[in-house]
Amino acid sequence: HACIAAQAALRPDAIAVACDGATLTYAELERRSEVVARRLRRLGAGPELLVAIGLERSIEMIVGLLGILKSGAAYLPIDPAYPKDRLEFMLADAAPIALLTSSTSCGALPATTAPLVLLDRDEGEVVATAPLGAATLQASGESLAYVIYTSGSTGQPKGCQVTHANVMRLFTSTQQWFGFGPDDVWTFFHSHAFDFSVWEIWGALA
C-alpha cells in the first residue's frame, strides 16, 4: 500500500481503476481507502489480524482491499459466488475480526459473528474531510498481507498465509521481464479469492 501511495503522490489524477464505465483516480482511491481503514481501526484492526472481504467485482472491492491493508490488517477474500458451506468453513476457521461487504453483497454471504462493515453505508459522510495518511498503519515486511484458501480438493481447505515481503518479491523479481509501466492497462480477470488476483490488483496499482 506504500507503493500505491507513492504512485498517488506522483500521479494523483491518473486513472487507478475502471469498472462498468466508472473510474477512480489514484487520489480518490487513496482517500476512500483511508476512510475504510479508519472504520476498521475503530474495530481493532491491526497487524496479524484478518478482515474478511466479500464483495462482487467492483471499484468498491479495490477500495475495500486497499483499506484493509492501510488499517494494518491482512485481508481474507470471500467470493460471494462460492458455495455457502465453503464460505462458512473459511469464516469459522480464519475467525476474522470483521467482514467488509455491502448491502447488496451481504445477502449472498453466510451468517457470521464478526461485525459487518458495509462499504455503501456512511462512508460518503467523511470522504471529503479524511486527511490523507491519517488512518494508515504501517505493517512490517513480515506482517501478513492476506490469507487465501486452497481448493480443498485433497481434504479440508487450508488458509495460505502470505506476507507483504512475499508480495513485493513477486513484483520486484519479475519487473525486468515485462517492464510494466503507467501506460499499460491490466485486466482484473480472476476472483479476488484466487491467488493470481494478487498480481492483477497490486501489480497494476503499484
Side-chain angles (χ1 to χ4, degrees):
H1 52 281
C3 292
I4 297 166
Q7 288 295 331
L10 287 173
R11 303 183 304 122
D13 298 324
I15 300 301
V17 189
C19 182
D20 292 334
T23 59
L24 202 65
T25 67
Y26 273 90
E28 291 167 336
L29 176 61
E30 280 292 291
R31 189 173 297 280
R32 289 182 58 183
S33 63
E34 285 170 3
V35 171
V36 174
R38 181 180 292 105
R39 296 173 70 185
L40 294 175
R41 289 289 301 280
R42 288 200 295 264
L43 292 173
E48 307 311 311
L49 297 174
L50 288 175
V51 173
I53 177 167
L55 288 167
E56 306 290 344
R57 184 185 305 269
S58 60
I59 284 178
E60 287 69 30
M61 174 193 288
I62 305 300
V63 171
L65 288 168
L66 185 57
I68 293 171
L69 294 181
K70 284 177 173 290
S71 77
Y75 66 90
L76 170 70
I78 301 290
D79 191 332
Y82 281 2
K84 276 200 172 182
D85 58 346
R86 174 177 170 86
L87 299 182
E88 288 172 351
F89 170 79
M90 292 165 60
L91 287 169
D93 188 58
I97 66 162
L99 171 56
L100 192 63
T101 183
S102 69
S103 55
T104 55
S105 295
C106 65
L109 302 174
T112 176
T113 57
L116 292 183
V117 178
L118 300 180
L119 275 183
D120 53 347
R121 297 273 179 87
D122 302 325
E123 183 183 2
E125 297 178 10
V126 287
V127 169
T129 57
L132 292 177
T136 301
L137 181 65
Q138 294 296 337
S140 74
E142 298 310 311
S143 297
L144 275 183
Y146 65 85
V147 172
I148 287 181
Y149 274 72
T150 63
S151 65
S153 57
T154 58
Q156 288 280 35
K158 299 172 181 65
C160 298
Q161 303 176 73
V162 179
T163 66
H164 287 269
N166 293 145
V167 176
M168 290 307 301
R169 180 184 178 278
L170 170 67
F171 304 142
T172 56
S173 64
T174 56
Q175 173 65 15
Q176 60 182 339
W177 299 348
F178 304 110
F180 294 123
D183 295 327
D184 294 306
V185 177
W186 291 31
T187 300
F188 177 25
F189 179 78
H190 294 87
S191 164
H192 69 311
F194 183 64
D195 198 65
F196 203 86
S197 67
V198 174
W199 181 287
E200 295 172 336
I201 297 171
W202 308 122
L205 290 173

